[in-house]
Every structure is written in C-alpha cells, then in structure tokens.
Amino acid sequence: MCLLNKSLLLAIIVIIIIVVGAGLYLQLAGQVTPAEKKILRVGTSPDFPPFEYIDEQGNIVGFDIDMVRELAKMIGYDDIEIVSIDFEGLIPALQQGQIDVIAAGMTITEEREQQVDFTIPYWEADQAILVVKDSCFQPESPDDLVGKVVGVQTGTTAESYLTDLVENQGYDITIKSYSSYVLAVTDLVNGRVDAVMVDLPVARMFEKQYNVQISGIVETGEKYGLAVRKGNTELLNKLNDALTQLMQSDKWDQLVQKYFGQG
C-alpha cells in the first residue's frame, strides 16, 4: 500500500472516531437531566379570605400562601405547589401523601392533633356571626340563633361549635353545612339561611365583598397552625424554626399590613 493510501486510511479512521465519539457524547448528554427542583406541596381551601382565596386572575393567593412561600424558601425549597382541596378533605389528603403541609387557616384542636402535627400558632381568632346588612335580625350571641338556620363550612370549628350547642346543650339551631364559606355567604345574601358563623378575620373580609355585616362576636380564642403528617418531625421542626424567625421580622409586619391593614 502506498504512503498516500495509508495517510488517507488513517484520516478516515480519525474522522470515524471523532464522529462516533461526538455521537456518543451527545447521547449521554441527552440522558443527563438538571437537578429536580425541591417543591413543597401545599394544600389549601381557597375560600377563606384574606388567608387564602382566588384573585381576579384565577390565582390562589392570600396571607397563608405568601407566608408558606416565604417559609419554604427559608427551609431550602425552590418553590411551592398549591393544591386546592375542599377544607374537609385537607387532612385526608395530607395523611395519604398527596400534599406535604396544610396552610388553610386551620385551628389547632385536640381532635385534629390526633390526626396531624401542628406548628406553633401563627394567628389567633374568634368566631363571628354574619347577617344581611341592615337586617332586622341582629343576633349578638349563639342564644339569639335559636330557631334559626345558620350556615357554616363543613369540617370547621364553627360547625363543631354549633353542633355541640345543638347535640349537648339542647339549642334549637338548624345547621346548614357547605363545602365553602363563599357558598354559605351567597345563600345568606339570597335569604336561604338566617346567619353564617365564620372566623372573625374572614367575616371582616366578607363584609367588604358582600352585602353582609357582623352582628356579634363569639370569643373562642382559636389559634391557627400549619399542619404536617403525623410523625414528620423533620419538616415540623424546620417550619417551627422558620416561623419563629419570620414572625419576629419586618417581613411578617409587611404581610400583616398587606392583608389585614395593621402592623
């Protein structure tokens, strides 16, 4: 074989090696995916303004949403995924692993503590009685609800409170439960119920949005907490540490001012 042919053959071999090598590199590179983002799945029931609600653009927003997004960043998550669930379905969804945390203005109760683990409290609230604005019916206490139909949201402390009055204290109150407080307040405005019992901060928001007013306040001293799966101490401890820091920061005051108009 002449020198020219040998050189040509060598050149061809080199080209083949380069082409095959490049193809193998591209194939392997295509199999390498960037590190997956660390997402905190947050369950909420977006009918509880200003804690969680749907804005005009169809986005789920609110105090709880901004708060948990800030907490997620503080404990090392890249972002949060908001999962909309009816309030009564939040704890089952958490237990089944569909979500990582509940942020839904959820009151810490002994019954719920048997099913989930709560963070330290981040908000305190009483119950309020809502009626149609300027109505002749102006109940100031649960005693004034006797003989009336009162709307509540299923699974809430308001429902539990009224159920206790009816079943254990003999109050003649007809309780009408709804999947959301928006539906309950809508029925109130349309005359299908006489009153609605709901947490005071939420009642104040409904006063701004509907033709309703607060006629009475029932002091219950409820405390809200975020909830995680029973035994998930790692996430719970991280959230508690972050929540403690957040509540002592200017960021917390800004969130309170944004949604409640008070610092």
Side-chain angles (χ1 to χ4, degrees), residues 24-34:
L24 181 60
Y25 172 79
L26 291 173
Q27 182 180 4
L28 292 174
Q31 293 175 353
V32 177
T33 56

PDB file of all heavy atoms in Angstrom, residues 24-34:
ATOM      1  N   LEU A  24     -21.723   9.649  20.654  1.00  0.00           N
ATOM      2  CA  LEU A  24     -21.865   9.047  21.979  1.00  0.00           C
ATOM      3  C   LEU A  24     -21.975  10.113  23.052  1.00  0.00           C
ATOM      4  O   LEU A  24     -22.782  10.012  23.978  1.00  0.00           O
ATOM      5  CB  LEU A  24     -20.660   8.140  22.253  1.00  0.00           C
ATOM      6  CG  LEU A  24     -20.649   7.397  23.593  1.00  0.00           C
ATOM      7  CD1 LEU A  24     -21.875   6.492  23.690  1.00  0.00           C
ATOM      8  CD2 LEU A  24     -19.364   6.591  23.759  1.00  0.00           C
ATOM      9  N   TYR A  25     -21.196  11.198  22.900  1.00  0.00           N
ATOM     10  CA  TYR A  25     -21.246  12.302  23.872  1.00  0.00           C
ATOM     11  C   TYR A  25     -22.624  12.959  23.909  1.00  0.00           C
ATOM     12  O   TYR A  25     -23.196  13.223  24.961  1.00  0.00           O
ATOM     13  CB  TYR A  25     -20.194  13.343  23.518  1.00  0.00           C
ATOM     14  CG  TYR A  25     -20.295  14.611  24.338  1.00  0.00           C
ATOM     15  CD1 TYR A  25     -19.799  14.668  25.634  1.00  0.00           C
ATOM     16  CD2 TYR A  25     -20.923  15.749  23.810  1.00  0.00           C
ATOM     17  CE1 TYR A  25     -19.914  15.829  26.387  1.00  0.00           C
ATOM     18  CE2 TYR A  25     -21.040  16.903  24.555  1.00  0.00           C
ATOM     19  CZ  TYR A  25     -20.524  16.934  25.846  1.00  0.00           C
ATOM     20  OH  TYR A  25     -20.646  18.075  26.591  1.00  0.00           O
ATOM     21  N   LEU A  26     -23.150  13.196  22.697  1.00  0.00           N
ATOM     22  CA  LEU A  26     -24.469  13.842  22.629  1.00  0.00           C
ATOM     23  C   LEU A  26     -25.548  12.958  23.218  1.00  0.00           C
ATOM     24  O   LEU A  26     -26.496  13.423  23.869  1.00  0.00           O
ATOM     25  CB  LEU A  26     -24.808  14.187  21.169  1.00  0.00           C
ATOM     26  CG  LEU A  26     -23.959  15.294  20.535  1.00  0.00           C
ATOM     27  CD1 LEU A  26     -24.274  15.429  19.049  1.00  0.00           C
ATOM     28  CD2 LEU A  26     -24.180  16.613  21.250  1.00  0.00           C
ATOM     29  N   GLN A  27     -25.416  11.642  22.992  1.00  0.00           N
ATOM     30  CA  GLN A  27     -26.402  10.711  23.528  1.00  0.00           C
ATOM     31  C   GLN A  27     -26.365  10.702  25.047  1.00  0.00           C
ATOM     32  O   GLN A  27     -27.402  10.757  25.719  1.00  0.00           O
ATOM     33  CB  GLN A  27     -26.144   9.302  22.989  1.00  0.00           C
ATOM     34  CG  GLN A  27     -27.173   8.273  23.484  1.00  0.00           C
ATOM     35  CD  GLN A  27     -26.902   6.881  22.935  1.00  0.00           C
ATOM     36  OE1 GLN A  27     -25.906   6.658  22.245  1.00  0.00           O
ATOM     37  NE2 GLN A  27     -27.774   5.951  23.230  1.00  0.00           N
ATOM     38  N   LEU A  28     -25.157  10.652  25.589  1.00  0.00           N
ATOM     39  CA  LEU A  28     -25.018  10.652  27.048  1.00  0.00           C
ATOM     40  C   LEU A  28     -25.458  11.980  27.640  1.00  0.00           C
ATOM     41  O   LEU A  28     -26.101  12.033  28.684  1.00  0.00           O
ATOM     42  CB  LEU A  28     -23.564  10.360  27.432  1.00  0.00           C
ATOM     43  CG  LEU A  28     -23.060   8.945  27.121  1.00  0.00           C
ATOM     44  CD1 LEU A  28     -21.574   8.842  27.426  1.00  0.00           C
ATOM     45  CD2 LEU A  28     -23.857   7.907  27.917  1.00  0.00           C
ATOM     46  N   ALA A  29     -25.122  13.066  26.948  1.00  0.00           N
ATOM     47  CA  ALA A  29     -25.510  14.395  27.440  1.00  0.00           C
ATOM     48  C   ALA A  29     -27.020  14.536  27.479  1.00  0.00           C
ATOM     49  O   ALA A  29     -27.582  15.162  28.367  1.00  0.00           O
ATOM     50  CB  ALA A  29     -24.895  15.475  26.552  1.00  0.00           C
ATOM     51  N   GLY A  30     -27.681  13.914  26.491  1.00  0.00           N
ATOM     52  CA  GLY A  30     -29.147  13.976  26.450  1.00  0.00           C
ATOM     53  C   GLY A  30     -29.793  13.221  27.584  1.00  0.00           C
ATOM     54  O   GLY A  30     -30.933  13.478  27.959  1.00  0.00           O
ATOM     55  N   GLN A  31     -29.067  12.274  28.150  1.00  0.00           N
ATOM     56  CA  GLN A  31     -29.627  11.484  29.250  1.00  0.00           C
ATOM     57  C   GLN A  31     -29.447  12.168  30.598  1.00  0.00           C
ATOM     58  O   GLN A  31     -30.047  11.798  31.580  1.00  0.00           O
ATOM     59  CB  GLN A  31     -28.952  10.106  29.278  1.00  0.00           C
ATOM     60  CG  GLN A  31     -29.281   9.246  28.062  1.00  0.00           C
ATOM     61  CD  GLN A  31     -28.508   7.941  28.077  1.00  0.00           C
ATOM     62  OE1 GLN A  31     -27.643   7.731  28.918  1.00  0.00           O
ATOM     63  NE2 GLN A  31     -28.824   7.075  27.130  1.00  0.00           N
ATOM     64  N   VAL A  32     -28.593  13.173  30.660  1.00  0.00           N
ATOM     65  CA  VAL A  32     -28.345  13.879  31.916  1.00  0.00           C
ATOM     66  C   VAL A  32     -29.373  14.994  32.077  1.00  0.00           C
ATOM     67  O   VAL A  32     -29.471  15.886  31.240  1.00  0.00           O
ATOM     68  CB  VAL A  32     -26.914  14.473  31.927  1.00  0.00           C
ATOM     69  CG1 VAL A  32     -26.697  15.266  33.204  1.00  0.00           C
ATOM     70  CG2 VAL A  32     -25.889  13.360  31.786  1.00  0.00           C
ATOM     71  N   THR A  33     -30.146  14.938  33.111  1.00  0.00           N
ATOM     72  CA  THR A  33     -31.175  15.951  33.361  1.00  0.00           C
ATOM     73  C   THR A  33     -30.719  16.846  34.499  1.00  0.00           C
ATOM     74  O   THR A  33     -30.009  16.410  35.413  1.00  0.00           O
ATOM     75  CB  THR A  33     -32.510  15.280  33.756  1.00  0.00           C
ATOM     76  OG1 THR A  33     -32.276  14.444  34.898  1.00  0.00           O
ATOM     77  CG2 THR A  33     -33.033  14.429  32.625  1.00  0.00           C
ATOM     78  N   PRO A  34     -31.102  18.106  34.440  1.00  0.00           N
ATOM     79  CA  PRO A  34     -30.734  19.004  35.526  1.00  0.00           C
ATOM     80  C   PRO A  34     -31.377  18.549  36.835  1.00  0.00           C
ATOM     81  O   PRO A  34     -32.397  17.864  36.830  1.00  0.00           O
ATOM     82  CB  PRO A  34     -31.315  20.358  35.063  1.00  0.00           C
ATOM     83  CG  PRO A  34     -32.385  20.003  34.078  1.00  0.00           C
ATOM     84  CD  PRO A  34     -31.915  18.749  33.407  1.00  0.00           C
TER      85      PRO A  34
END
